[in-house]
Amino acid sequence: MSEFLETDPSLIGGYRLVFERKVNMDIQLANEEVSIRVGHPIIMEEALTAKILTRGDPNAPTHVKIEFLSDQDYFFFYKHECDSQDFFEMKVDQALKFNFNDYLTQLVKLFNRCIESNEVKCQLQINVDNTADLYFN
């Protein structure tokens, strides 16, 4: 492993990098007050670095972490961490049809489809409280 990767803070806690690619995303500010002031929704497109990391057995990870970084804004950083319990809650809330064991595979497939075709679009919605929601449309 290169010296740079050994110092990557994403790897802290025993995580392994399994996916890292630029993904074109629509980044939308979900702040109605700002949108009203400027007269339109605040949306921009940018190729963000999407990283997927796992912890646990490489064939059956116990944790999945997604990170988004921007080359244009070094302070832009969003992450999502998920274990099987977190995934169960997300599955119920979003009526997902797959299980945690398939989560990593589904994420990689969706990001690759966003990169390779116009069939799927990736949107990162920045909420008023500075959290974010990821959508694949």
Side-chain angles (χ1 to χ4, degrees), residues 56-79:
D57 182 333
N59 297 319
T62 57
H63 293 77
V64 174
K65 178 167 60 170
I66 307 166
E67 296 181 346
F68 297 112
L69 301 106
S70 168
D71 289 342
Q72 296 179 23
D73 179 353
Y74 294 115
F75 296 103
F76 184 96
F77 177 76
Y78 281 90
K79 76 175 178 177

Side-chain angles (χ1 to χ4, degrees), residues 21-76:
R21 292 186 71 185
K22 296 282 187 195
V23 179
N24 284 331
M25 292 198 192
D26 286 337
I27 304 168
Q28 179 175 5
L29 181 62
N31 186 328
E32 189 174 337
E33 182 180 316
V34 172
S35 295
I36 290 170
R37 268 195 245 150
V38 298
H40 57 81
I42 307 299
I43 300 174
M44 65 178 277
E45 187 173 328
E46 183 178 343
L48 296 178
T49 299
K51 295 168 73 172
I52 303 176
L53 303 102
T54 61
R55 188 168 66 192
D57 182 333
N59 297 319
T62 57
H63 293 77
V64 174
K65 178 167 60 170
I66 307 166
E67 296 181 346
F68 297 112
L69 301 106
S70 168
D71 289 342
Q72 296 179 23
D73 179 353
Y74 294 115
F75 296 103
F76 184 96

Side-chain angles (χ1 to χ4, degrees), residues 5 10 16 18 27 34 36 45 54-55 84 93 109 124 132:
L5 286 178
S10 299
R16 284 179 310 285
V18 296
I27 304 168
V34 172
I36 290 170
E45 187 173 328
T54 61
R55 188 168 66 192
S84 60
D93 290 345
K109 283 181 182 178
L124 188 65

Side-chain angles (χ1 to χ4, degrees), residues 80-113:
H80 160 78
E81 293 183 74
C82 187
D83 63 14
S84 60
Q85 182 60 41
D86 297 326
F87 180 82
F88 179 77
E89 293 171 19
M90 187 169 57
K91 180 179 178 174
V92 170
D93 290 345
Q94 299 180 20
L96 300 176
K97 301 197 186 296
F98 55 91
N99 294 315
F100 181 71
N101 294 342
D102 300 318
Y103 187 43
L104 173 62
T105 303
Q106 292 297 322
L107 286 170
V108 170
K109 283 181 182 178
L110 284 166
F111 282 130
N112 281 332
R113 286 176 67 190

